[in-house]
Amino acid sequence: MRYKRKNTGSLIEKLKIEFENINDQIKINDTNIYKYFEKAENQQNKPKKLERLYCEFLEFDKIFESKYDIYIKLLNELQFVSVTTPYENIKSNLKKIMTTEDILKQEIINILSDNIFTIEITSEIKQNLELYTSKTWDYFWVTTYYDENLNMLYTAIHNYAYLLSRKYFLMKKAILIYQEELIKKG
């Protein structure tokens, strides 16, 4: 069905209401699922692990997007590297990314100390990230990019995004594994 431009306002309102109703149904369903497993946990006299897993996941879920935005922001700030750019602009652009890069390094240090990655993180990724965070790197001198250092930066950026997504997945997986355990013993 096609809508005329003058009817788009009412269509948007209708879709907003439908969207809110669906979200409400999802919340009710999520609550019912949680209550089901909470009841199973209580019936099996298990400690409150379900609540802890959910709380940890929901806390990470709240901050995930802002952490991922660091990845996006740095990639956007580095776009000048892939095009011909006057030397003066390269130097000033590299100075501009320093703040975001410092935030990235701190986030990477936090990831490296996160217990969830004890088994997950490969030794190669760990070594690359430790090297990257070990000092301030130069990426350009006079008229030349330091390709090796730039490659290390890009590798760190991409490893950071990968590990963030991996943590999100692992936290969800931990909930599902525990729920499966509750079903099997129930």
Side-chain angles (χ1 to χ4, degrees), residues 63-185:
I63 60 172
F64 177 80
E65 196 170 316
S66 66
K67 290 183 177 292
Y68 199 79
D69 282 345
I70 297 165
Y71 164 76
I72 300 297
K73 183 178 182 188
L74 203 45
L75 285 181
N76 287 334
E77 289 176 345
L78 284 166
Q79 285 184 354
F80 71 91
V81 172
S82 58
V83 295
T84 303
T85 308
Y87 300 137
E88 300 77 32
N89 291 8
I90 292 171
K91 292 173 188 175
S92 68
N93 288 338
L94 286 171
K95 283 182 183 177
K96 288 178 189 174
I97 71 159
M98 289 179 75
T99 303
T100 309
E101 190 180 9
D102 288 343
I103 294 168
L104 174 70
K105 284 183 178 184
Q106 186 54 56
E107 289 295 325
I108 288 172
I109 290 167
N110 294 343
I111 283 174
L112 290 172
S113 65
D114 192 329
N115 291 335
I116 201 163
F117 294 114
T118 304
I119 299 170
E120 286 290 319
I121 195 166
T122 66
S123 60
E124 181 183 354
I125 289 175
K126 185 176 182 180
Q127 287 173 352
N128 289 338
L129 293 178
E130 286 175 343
L131 178 63
Y132 170 70
T133 59
S134 69
K135 69 177 199 168
T136 301
W137 297 92
D138 292 321
Y139 303 112
F140 185 79
W141 179 251
V142 185
T143 61
T144 307
Y145 281 110
Y146 293 135
D147 290 334
E148 190 174 313
N149 292 357
L150 276 173
N151 287 337
M152 180 177 37
L153 170 61
Y154 278 106
T155 300
I157 292 169
H158 294 301
N159 284 338
Y160 169 74
Y162 165 75
L163 291 171
L164 269 183
S165 298
R166 190 72 185 147
K167 181 174 181 174
Y168 197 89
F169 168 79
L170 291 171
M171 293 179 89
K172 274 188 168 181
K173 183 179 176 183
I175 292 170
L176 293 173
I177 289 171
Y178 185 63
Q179 289 172 333
E180 180 183 38
E181 182 184 313
L182 291 171
I183 290 172
K184 285 182 179 178
K185 292 184 180 177

